[in-house]
Amino acid sequence: MQFRYTLKNLCKCGSKVCNWRTCTKISTQNQSCIHNIHNCVMEPCIPLPLKDDVLTELTQKAKDWALLHGIGMRSSKDINKDTIQLAPFVLLPSTFSKKEFDKAKVAQVLMNEIIHKAAHSYNFLKQCLSGTVEVDPFTAELFRIYETVRREGLAQSLSLGLIRSDYMLDTINESCLKQVEINTIAAGFGWMGPISSKLHRYVLHELGIPDIENHIPRNNALRGLSEAINFAWKLYGSPNAVLLVIVEEQTYNLCDQRMLEFDVRELNNAIRVIRRTFRNIASNGKLKDKRLFIDEMEVAVAYYRTGYSPDDYKSYQAWDARMLIERSKAIKCPSIQYHLAGTKKVQQELNRKGVLESFLSNSEHIDRVRSLFTGLYSLDMNEEGDEIIKMAIDNPSKYVLKPQREGGGNNFYDKDVRIMLRKMETSEERNAYILMDLISPPAVLNYIIAPGSPPELCKVVGELGVFGATIGSDKEIFYNEEVGHLLRTKRFNIREGGVVAGFAALDSVFLV
């Protein structure tokens, strides 16, 4: 079977190649509309739509396969610890450029190195976040913990980084891959990425599609993350110490979390895994000679699956638990400095001319990383920041306004960019935000499968995540691997992302 990869230009100005940011043939008022229809559309991996009888049978098979293989979540509407429901997914793998996919995979070890070195540069973090901590209480509290444990002397020199770098193809830049963000805390879907690839292999085989192995790449993210955790546990050097997984009071993304825990256990059955909330840790945690004990069990590795949002710290008890962990000898994933290195402000500063050279010495590697960056702009209280704000107010549809937050639903687009910037134009509050060029990804037809709903054929856009794992200290990195990937997809007219947040569906790449 022949697979084709084509881009159909939909620009209203009629040009074969159009950059709508600089197009003079369209009005400013129409720019947002032009983005929303997506300048380019990729052909799906097979001709669509499917015949009704084929779609009905295939959808039910795919749903059953998904539920029986752990593609599930707890319902946020009907919380029952004895049940899970289907996680939203797309029926077919989405076409994706192999060239750009390979570029992201190769670059991940460099991203790991940059984040690790940035995390261990106190002067860099302080310079980056000096304005942010003055106006953002959440980042300020994280930085207070960092300065406290640094002043006291770090009990543990090693950090474990399980990192995910997220990208989108950008039709404005000839469908080159551009980084959306980098996640250093609770970077999820190490299970959902690989299992979605297996689901799509099953679906294509059911459709009788041959020779798919070259199009759906093998994905070992789960085992790669488990191996890094196992490596860190061994480095701690106490055979009876446990892996502590710090979780929310109510976990919805259960399958993804538990499957990683189970895989760690399968890889090394000497590792006992315990799950505790911040509340549990504050009540039952203590230090003995800087060793962390929870319910009298010594902790070797503390792995955060929560703690990335102010909502995760509902009382000062939660902050006390975070401080207790950071003061301990347990190997943290992430350490407080790693957490800070994943903030939007650090991402923006890494994009400044000359900054990457502080962390990488090879010019080819620097160029490779820089090619993945999109435009990122500081809103600091200075002349440069003033000019950036004026630029964004004049053309709000070209940019995304981002606060120092994770988890989906926090960004501002279109007219809201102008409203927010005018509101804080003369206020220090703007130091808590960065501005990013709006990435305009190509769309592709696919069926969205969601619990309780019929399959919906619509245009969708994808966000690629590449996982990395690092272990090291401020002096060296002795574990640095790219370990796997995932693809999350959303309707083309939805701005925000996030499967758990309810904006996106699980997907996998069909490389062309």
Side-chain angles (χ1 to χ4, degrees), residues 333-380:
C333 180
S335 61
I336 192 70
Q337 61 266 34
Y338 249 88
H339 188 167
L340 290 167
T343 56
K344 302 293 192 300
K345 184 61 179 177
V346 169
Q347 182 186 355
Q348 176 257 307
E349 287 295 318
L350 288 172
N351 197 33
R352 281 189 185 275
K353 186 177 181 180
V355 173
L356 284 181
E357 285 78 357
S358 301
F359 303 113
L360 297 176
S361 57
N362 185 301
S363 60
E364 182 181 336
H365 291 172
I366 292 168
D367 291 343
R368 184 178 298 166
V369 171
R370 186 165 284 131
S371 72
L372 294 168
F373 288 168
T374 190
L376 293 162
Y377 311 98
S378 168
L379 301 179
D380 291 348

Side-chain angles (χ1 to χ4, degrees), residues 201-272:
R201 285 195 188 93
Y202 166 76
V203 167
L204 292 185
H205 281 308
E206 286 296 301
L207 288 169
I209 307 299
D211 188 32
I212 64 172
E213 294 305 313
N214 292 331
H215 296 280
I216 303 180
R218 293 293 167 180
N219 189 354
N220 297 313
L222 185 73
R223 181 47 58 99
L225 298 174
S226 297
E227 287 175 343
I229 291 172
N230 179 54
F231 194 94
W233 180 86
K234 289 180 177 179
L235 285 175
Y236 185 79
S238 179
N240 295 317
V242 302
L243 165 63
L244 167 67
V245 182
I246 302 113
V247 296
E248 318 95 317
E249 291 289 338
Q250 180 61 53
T251 297
Y252 302 115
N253 191 19
L254 182 70
C255 290
D256 190 66
Q257 292 186 15
R258 283 295 197 184
M259 288 300 187
L260 179 57
E261 295 170 24
F262 299 157
D263 197 62
V264 168
R265 191 77 162 150
E266 182 178 311
L267 182 66
N268 184 347
N269 60 20
I271 303 177
R272 182 180 177 186

